[in-house]
Amino acid sequence: LQRHLTHGQPGNILLVEDDGRLRDALTRTFESEGWQVRGAGDGREALAVLEGGWTPQLVLLDLQLPEMDGFQFMEALRQAPQWCDLPVIVATGMELGTAQRERLANSGVREIVSKATLPREELLRVVGGMALNRTVGTRSS
């Protein structure tokens, strides 16, 4: 992940996960790799973090959340011009049907990964790849 950091500075990840222990573990994992992480327990909290000025390179999003779930969060995110291009990776334990996968793809989700089967190294690879794509896209604009 270090080689994907913009200008040697830590990248920012918005981690939207309602399980506090998992959120803390993922935060420690990403921070150990040089990332800065802000966590949110549901979609409303995540939107508040964004509205407060936090600018992540990507969002790592669980779908099963209280208050505002991941699907509702994606709808709100994509309606805001300042966040409509923000890369989102969905990490979920849900079994997704075809309609749900299409809904996520149509909302601009870049990748869907299973929390149950995803090893730590694979999650870091996926996040690093998304950050690299975001950085390359930003530099070419």
Side-chain angles (χ1 to χ4, degrees):
L1 291 178
Q2 290 294 332
R3 69 175 187 232
H4 302 307
L5 300 178
T6 307
H7 306 295
Q9 298 298 314
N12 297 334
I13 297 174
L14 176 56
L15 175 59
V16 189
E17 169 62 56
D18 65 321
D19 181 331
R21 291 189 306 195
L22 179 56
R23 189 173 57 243
D24 290 345
L26 288 171
T27 296
R28 285 191 304 273
T29 296
F30 289 121
E31 287 177 344
S32 74
E33 297 292 328
W35 295 86
Q36 293 182 7
V37 181
R38 288 274 175 97
D42 65 43
R44 289 190 204 287
E45 287 180 31
L47 289 175
V49 168
L50 292 170
E51 290 166 353
W54 179 255
T55 306
Q57 285 179 284
L58 62 95
V59 176
L60 185 59
L61 174 68
D62 185 13
L63 294 177
Q64 295 175 299
L65 302 166
E67 299 295 319
M68 175 186 271
D69 69 21
F71 292 102
Q72 294 165 324
F73 171 78
M74 285 301 302
E75 288 174 16
L77 187 74
R78 294 310 183 214
Q79 290 177 5
Q82 69 272 32
W83 307 318
C84 65
D85 292 329
L86 190 58
V88 176
I89 299 170
V90 167
T92 185
M94 287 177 62
E95 287 291 324
L96 298 175
T98 303
Q100 290 171 314
R101 286 184 177 278
E102 286 177 10
R103 182 177 175 192
L104 291 170
N106 290 337
S107 70
V109 167
R110 303 284 176 94
E111 190 155 350
I112 301 169
V113 294
S114 170
K115 284 197 267 185
T117 61
L118 189 66
R120 175 182 178 269
E121 294 77 19
E122 181 66 9
L123 182 58
L124 292 171
R125 183 197 64 75
V126 168
V127 168
M130 286 295 142
L132 176 62
N133 291 339
R134 176 79 169 169
T135 301
V136 169
T138 302
R139 288 183 181 160
S140 64
S141 298

